[in-house]
Amino acid sequence: MRRWMIHLALCPLLLLMVPLPARAAGTPARTLKVGVTLHPYYSWTKNVVGDLPGIEIRPILPGEIDAGDYQPRPEDIKKLADLDAIVVNGIGHDDFIFPMLKASGNQKIVIIRPNAETPQIRGIHGSAVNSHTFLSFTNAIQQTYAIEKALAQLRPDLAAGLQKNAADYARRLRQIKAKAATQLANAKITRVVTVHDGYGYLLQEFGLEVAGVVQPAHGLTPSAAELAGMVKLLKREKIKVVFSEESFPPALLKVLQDETGVKVYLISHIASGAYTADKFEKEMQKNVDTMIRALVQGS
């Protein structure tokens, strides 16, 4: 699998924030065109904008392609040419976007980095930052407000509406988290193995521990030796639950199940499908429901 790994110095949240040029009284504001690279950022930005006029949200990647498998296409580079701003992960999950921006010739675009002030953890394998900060209710709320503030600087006339929308969305996310936390407080199982370390933020948020990660790196299939090592870990640590995802090879999961008797549950890292405003809420709700079933109910 080809990956676009470009190591860039991380910058503080922004961003050369400059409001759009002043307009004559009575003249409609020019539409603010805002790109996004990943599904969670689309959901957050779409909810911040809501029904407010004059802001277009444009996903850059095809919905069906996971960012880990993506290779830049000319038609996607064209989507960047007239953008006023773009919301990026910026810490390793979408580094392919930066050479794409250069190729587009758009030198005035504002890069919105909601991760700039988000607490980050290291990956289990190696020392790189775990870029899946979006798999967390707390981080999602923080980054939603960062997006709201950035858009408000670009469209001050819409600031009050953006702030209200962000607050409403954050409230819904807090409600999902609070309900799940009450149930997960009674978890019978608190240590699990995951197929990749993207779920570290979500599990950490509920006081759960990742005892091991099957993949040597996200998207890479473990070797026979690595798989055997994971079987040993599962037995040694008496791990009962593995959280996987739909794209992980079923044959490898079967090895883990047959050798150790673990139960496997699927959760999502919200990487593909249609771009919708409610995608993040729906998939995160399913994730916590699955966690409750696996760790509290044992079903």
Side-chain angles (χ1 to χ4, degrees):
M1 181 184 302
R2 185 177 180 184
R3 289 179 172 272
W4 293 77
M5 299 302 294
I6 299 169
H7 301 287
L8 301 173
L10 296 181
C11 303
L13 175 72
L14 254 63
L15 303 185
L16 302 177
M17 280 303 187
V18 180
L20 293 180
R23 64 187 188 279
T27 303
R30 180 172 66 84
T31 297
L32 181 72
K33 298 175 181 178
V34 182
V36 292
T37 57
L38 306 178
H39 285 81
Y41 298 99
Y42 181 88
S43 292
W44 304 342
T45 307
K46 193 70 174 175
N47 276 280
V48 168
V49 172
D51 295 327
L52 295 174
I55 302 181
E56 172 193 337
I57 312 302
R58 182 186 303 171
I60 305 303
L61 277 63
E64 70 277 8
I65 297 180
D66 187 313
D69 300 326
Y70 177 69
Q71 296 184 27
R73 310 181 309 173
E75 56 265 43
D76 297 331
I77 293 174
K78 290 180 181 178
K79 298 177 187 176
L80 301 169
D82 64 339
L83 290 180
D84 298 297
I86 186 167
V87 181
V88 302
N89 171 268
I91 56 172
H93 215 77
D94 55 6
D95 283 349
F96 50 76
I97 198 65
F98 299 108
M100 290 175 67
L101 284 169
K102 185 176 181 180
S104 76
N106 188 341
Q107 298 181 357
K108 297 182 179 180
I109 191 168
V110 171
I111 299 178
I112 300 173
R113 299 175 181 265
N115 267 309
E117 298 179 5
T118 300
Q120 295 159 18
I121 61 178
R122 297 287 175 180
I124 287 184
H125 300 303
S127 59
V129 169
N130 185 331
S131 63
H132 296 76
T133 57
F134 46 83
L135 286 178
S136 158
F137 291 99
T138 302
N139 288 347
I141 291 167
Q142 183 181 50
Q143 293 187 56
T144 292
Y145 280 122
I147 292 168
E148 172 255 313
K149 289 179 175 62
L151 295 181
Q153 287 186 324
L154 292 168
R155 283 296 302 268
D157 56 314
L158 298 177
L162 293 167
Q163 185 177 44
K164 180 182 183 303
N165 290 343
D168 290 344
Y169 185 58
R171 185 178 304 110
R172 296 202 303 273
L173 295 183
R174 286 198 306 272
Q175 289 171 345
I176 297 173
K177 177 189 172 184
K179 184 177 179 180
T182 299
Q183 294 176 276
L184 286 168
N186 299 314
K188 302 171 185 176
I189 297 171
T190 59
R191 301 179 75 239
V192 303
V193 159
T194 64
V195 296
H196 69 79
D197 65 359
Y199 302 118
Y201 288 99
L202 178 60
L203 293 166
Q204 173 184 269
E205 189 164 35
F206 294 102
L208 304 168
E209 180 185 350
V210 179
V213 174
V214 178
Q215 293 178 333
H218 180 46
L220 297 182
T221 302
S223 66
E226 288 166 337
L227 198 63
M230 182 52 60
V231 168
K232 290 180 180 179
L233 182 147
L234 290 168
K235 290 179 177 179
R236 182 179 68 249
E237 302 294 329
K238 296 181 173 58
I239 302 298
K240 303 298 183 184
V241 168
V242 171
F243 285 126
S244 185
E245 58 186 346
E246 290 184 0
S247 62
F248 192 76
L252 299 186
L253 288 176
K254 189 174 187 305
V255 171
L256 298 180
Q257 290 173 300
D258 291 348
E259 293 290 332
T260 68
V262 296
K263 289 186 177 181
V264 175
Y265 297 84
L266 299 182
I267 53 179
S268 168
H269 68 287
I270 316 175
S272 62
Y275 287 93
T276 63
D278 61 358
K279 185 176 184 66
F280 183 81
E281 285 172 271
K282 285 185 174 180
E283 296 206 18
M284 288 292 277
Q285 180 68 69
K286 288 180 182 178
N287 282 345
V288 293
D289 288 346
T290 299
M291 290 164 60
I292 291 165
R293 190 170 72 252
L295 306 178
V296 179
Q297 301 167 353
S299 60

